Amino acid sequence: MNKDLFLKISLLMILIVIFVLAVIGVNSYYRISNQIFRLSPSQVNQILPTSTSSCQKISSCKLNPGDILIRRYITSRTWLMNKLAHPYFTHSAMYLGDDQIVEAVGTEQKPENDIQIAKLSTSDWLNEDMNDWVIIRPRNITPKISIVMSNLKTIAADPEYLFGFSQNGRKRAACADLIFNQLSENGVIKTLNVPGIITPDYLFSLASKNSDFEIVGYDIPIEK
């Protein structure tokens, strides 16, 4: 085999491999995308109550332990997810009381900080440009919510728990399924046909349809 023929065959093989990998990548993207529950801006606005929010900033809202904070806020962490998955909301957290929230923030330099308890007053939830949020409050289910919050604190303190989608019993959690899994496992929320990937959109939609929750504050633009 001469050198030119060898190079041509090698180049052809490389192109075939690239093509196969591209097909696999596209198929994987669409398979994952189909598991993602997402809402459009109009759907979000249809869910919101017609009455005016009782507070215009999260800092002025009187939060109760167990309140679920959900937002749309594009950061360096959420930019790629927003472009690829196109959700409305991009992050969620639960308020624990005493100025503390628990959240799965993402992949940190120290893995034990992927899921953490933080001070709300010094977090980016109170940034001046964070203007797209909603607060959902549990109703009359204090004992169950107390268990949920206790479990979330335990998860946040467990260095083996890392940021990521739950799978095969591994200690992984993203921001929305961190909260949803505890609500579901402790009987606060009961639902069928749960999507493969739990998003803040799904958490918001599910809670809005459940009479055990109420929207107590929000600031959502009418149009995006």
Side-chain angles (χ1 to χ4, degrees):
M1 181 182 298
N2 62 49
K3 185 176 181 180
D4 288 343
L5 181 58
F6 174 78
L7 290 174
K8 289 179 181 179
I9 293 175
S10 298
L11 179 59
L12 178 61
M13 294 299 294
I14 291 172
L15 291 175
I16 291 174
V17 171
I18 292 174
F19 175 77
V20 170
L21 291 176
V23 170
I24 293 173
V26 170
N27 287 338
S28 297
Y29 168 76
Y30 281 108
R31 178 175 55 81
I32 294 172
S33 181
N34 289 334
Q35 298 182 60
I36 298 174
F37 181 94
R38 55 178 68 83
L39 295 170
S40 67
S42 61
Q43 288 174 317
V44 170
N45 277 275
Q46 288 171 6
I47 292 173
L48 293 172
T50 55
S51 58
T52 303
S53 173
S54 61
C55 48
Q56 304 305 313
K57 293 283 187 181
I58 291 181
S59 58
S60 64
C61 294
K62 295 181 179 180
L63 299 177
N64 290 345
D67 284 353
I68 301 170
L69 283 61
I70 302 175
R71 75 186 187 192
R72 175 175 177 78
Y73 188 46
I74 308 303
T75 67
S76 58
R77 292 180 183 275
T78 61
W79 178 86
L80 183 59
M81 180 191 70
N82 182 62
K83 289 296 183 182
L84 294 178
H86 306 294
Y88 184 86
F89 293 109
T90 58
H91 190 43
S92 56
M94 178 173 281
Y95 184 67
L96 301 175
D98 297 324
D99 193 33
Q100 292 186 325
I101 56 173
V102 60
E103 57 183 343
V105 297
T107 304
E108 296 283 278
Q109 288 186 345
K110 294 182 178 180
E112 61 268 26
N113 294 332
D114 285 7
I115 301 171
Q116 59 180 254
I117 294 174
K119 285 188 176 182
L120 176 63
S121 58
T122 57
S123 72
D124 61 2
W125 284 90
L126 299 190
N127 284 0
E128 286 297 321
D129 60 343
M130 212 290 291
N131 299 315
D132 210 339
W133 52 269
V134 63
I135 299 170
I136 296 175
R137 176 166 296 162
R139 290 173 169 167
N140 304 320
I141 44 178
T142 302
K144 292 180 180 179
I145 288 297
S146 295
I147 295 172
V148 168
M149 290 191 295
S150 177
N151 289 348
L152 290 175
K153 290 177 183 178
T154 299
I155 290 172
D158 186 345
E160 294 183 4
Y161 250 102
L162 304 177
F163 181 83
F165 294 112
S166 302
Q167 55 179 326
N168 300 326
R170 299 174 68 192
K171 291 184 175 182
R172 299 288 186 275
C175 66
D177 64 15
L178 171 70
I179 297 169
F180 171 81
N181 288 342
Q182 287 304 313
L183 294 176
S184 178
E185 290 172 10
N186 291 284
V188 179
I189 285 179
K190 296 180 181 180
T191 184
L192 299 175
N193 302 318
V194 178
I197 296 177
I198 304 299
T199 61
D201 283 11
Y202 181 72
L203 198 61
F204 171 72
S205 175
L206 188 62
S208 69
K209 298 173 183 176
N210 190 313
S211 60
D212 286 328
F213 293 85
E214 62 179 328
I215 295 174
V216 296
Y218 66 91
D219 183 15
I220 304 290
I222 295 176
E223 296 181 359
K224 293 301 293 179

